[in-house]
Amino acid sequence: MEFTTLGRTGLNVSRLCLGTMNFGPKTTEADSFAIMDRALEHELNFFDTADVYGWKIGEGITENIIGRWFAQGGGRRDKVVLATKVYGKMGEWPNEQGLSARHIIRAADASLRRLQTDWIDLYQMHHVDRKTPWEEIWQAMETLVAAGKVLYVGSSNFAGWHIAAAQEAAKHRNFLGLVAEQSIYNLMTRHIELEVAPAAQHYGLGIIPWSPLHGGLLSGAIRKLKDGTGGRVAEGRSAEGLAENRATIEAYEKLCESIGADPADVALAWLLSRPGVTAPIIGPRTVEQLDNSLNALTLKLDEDTLTRLDELFPPVGKGGPGPEAWAW
């Protein structure tokens, strides 16, 4: 396993992050335990979850599964860099969501109970809360850090100017502020290159891409449909995305075949080559899928391949950060 530091911190995390959103809704508890055990066998130490995962309001299904896995002992908790999130609706009353100080503190305590741990390594705001001032948010986070319940704070789905506002407010309080931003980022969705990624790099935030395979479309979707293993991309938004981008995805799969690499590995390897990226989030539903994901760590894409990928999946505007991407 390759390791890197999370943003400007000294915290060492694996270059792939284990996403747990499938644990409960799509992956049984027993299989979830097996995947987490295998992750540690591979020295994949960075796990990501959220209080809302499981998608039944207030139940924290996925966090509970992880907590029961930790409770087995064997040094599991000490080995894992654990990230979870706050913001989503966890009850029917108005103060059971968002980023008010009340909800942040209570949600953190609830996550700690479900996860059966004393601390959260990376506590991420799942979305920006436009109603709550940064002074209130940072006061709540400082309280959690001072109590040892949270070690680092991150964001998710923030715009570049949200990152800037958060960091400037934290700086005035002599607080470390954000150390990571979790954003959708893949070959087919490159919007963060305009402002989010530059802001993250400027302020020393590690970038944690979610949906690195764009709902399975970059995992060999057409090949899987032909051989009958493409259930995930045969329905819903993935099916619509495939219909809209079929020619491009066909060309992508041919490119991957020409270099002797699996499309999923190429998509992950491309992200690993991008500036500022700490660890793409992989969401395996089986141990086999987890094992296969590690191939991306040894795949190095040459300049010709990177150029061809830019041709197939052009960056937004003229490419690179704004304003150069749309001006001059």
Side-chain angles (χ1 to χ4, degrees):
M1 179 57 62
E2 295 180 16
F3 294 89
T4 187
T5 53
L6 180 61
R8 66 191 186 284
T9 76
L11 184 66
N12 292 306
V13 296
S14 49
R15 294 281 343 253
L16 293 176
C17 178
L18 179 65
T20 63
M21 190 170 65
N22 291 323
F23 293 0
K26 296 183 179 179
T27 305
T28 66
E29 183 160 324
D31 288 343
S32 300
F33 280 20
I35 289 170
M36 289 186 281
D37 283 335
R38 182 61 63 88
L40 291 189
E41 289 177 21
H42 289 303
E43 297 184 331
L44 195 163
N45 75 333
F46 193 15
F47 290 15
D48 176 74
T49 191
D51 54 2
V52 294
Y53 288 173
W55 311 116
K56 290 186 178 180
I57 292 175
E59 295 193 16
I61 290 171
T62 303
E63 285 189 334
N64 274 309
I65 290 173
I66 296 170
R68 288 189 287 271
W69 179 74
F70 282 145
Q72 295 179 100
R76 286 174 170 82
R77 179 63 190 96
D78 289 333
K79 295 172 184 175
V80 170
V81 175
L82 177 64
T84 192
K85 306 183 190 77
V86 58
Y87 175 85
K89 187 175 182 180
M90 292 301 290
E92 298 298 340
W93 286 79
N95 286 312
E96 294 180 286
Q97 59 186 311
L99 296 178
S100 68
R102 170 176 164 146
H103 183 61
I104 288 173
I105 298 293
R106 290 176 59 83
D109 285 337
S111 285
L112 289 167
R113 287 193 297 271
R114 287 189 293 266
L115 291 163
Q116 300 193 46
T117 184
D118 296 327
W119 83 98
I120 296 163
D121 293 291
L122 177 63
Y123 202 35
Q124 301 162 111
M125 293 171 267
H126 212 160
H127 196 279
V128 67
D129 186 343
R130 295 180 175 88
K131 304 187 304 296
T132 308
W134 279 111
E135 291 79 6
E136 178 179 354
I137 293 170
W138 284 137
Q139 178 174 290
M141 292 298 186
E142 288 166 11
T143 299
L144 292 172
V145 170
K149 296 178 179 181
V150 166
L151 304 188
Y152 302 94
V153 181
S155 57
S156 182
N157 306 307
F158 275 30
W161 77 270
H162 296 141
I163 292 172
Q167 292 304 83
E168 292 304 317
K171 182 171 66 175
H172 286 300
R173 302 176 67 90
N174 295 314
F175 189 60
L176 183 63
L178 301 173
V179 303
E181 159 62 20
Q182 187 177 139
S183 291
I184 186 170
Y185 188 22
N186 57 57
L187 281 163
M188 297 180 69
T189 306
R190 300 180 60 171
H191 302 86
I192 79 163
E193 293 173 352
L194 293 175
E195 295 195 58
V196 175
Q201 288 180 271
H202 175 77
Y203 286 106
L205 279 63
I207 298 170
I208 308 170
W210 61 266
S211 194
L213 305 182
H214 203 70
L217 294 183
L218 296 169
S219 66
I222 294 173
R223 181 197 67 205
K224 289 179 179 179
L225 286 174
K226 289 179 180 177
D227 62 24
T229 61
R232 183 183 180 191
V233 296
E235 57 189 26
R237 286 186 295 177
S238 294
E240 295 174 5
L242 180 57
E244 294 172 1
N245 300 279
R246 190 177 187 94
T248 299
I249 294 171
E250 283 180 343
Y252 171 67
E253 292 187 17
K254 288 179 181 177
L255 171 64
C256 295
E257 184 179 4
S258 72
I259 64 173
D262 186 83
D265 295 340
V266 172
L268 289 171
W270 179 81
L271 278 172
L272 289 166
S273 74
R274 303 304 297 167
V277 168
T278 294
I281 296 176
I282 56 172
R285 284 168 288 168
T286 65
V287 168
E288 181 182 14
Q289 288 180 351
L290 171 62
D291 291 341
N292 291 338
S293 296
L294 271 64
N295 295 328
L297 295 171
T298 57
L299 177 60
K300 306 303 179 187
L301 305 176
D302 61 29
E303 288 301 320
D304 289 342
T305 301
L306 292 171
T307 298
R308 180 61 177 142
L309 289 171
D310 276 343
E311 293 170 353
L312 289 173
F313 303 102
V316 182
K318 301 172 186 177
E324 292 86 350
W326 61 77
W328 308 343

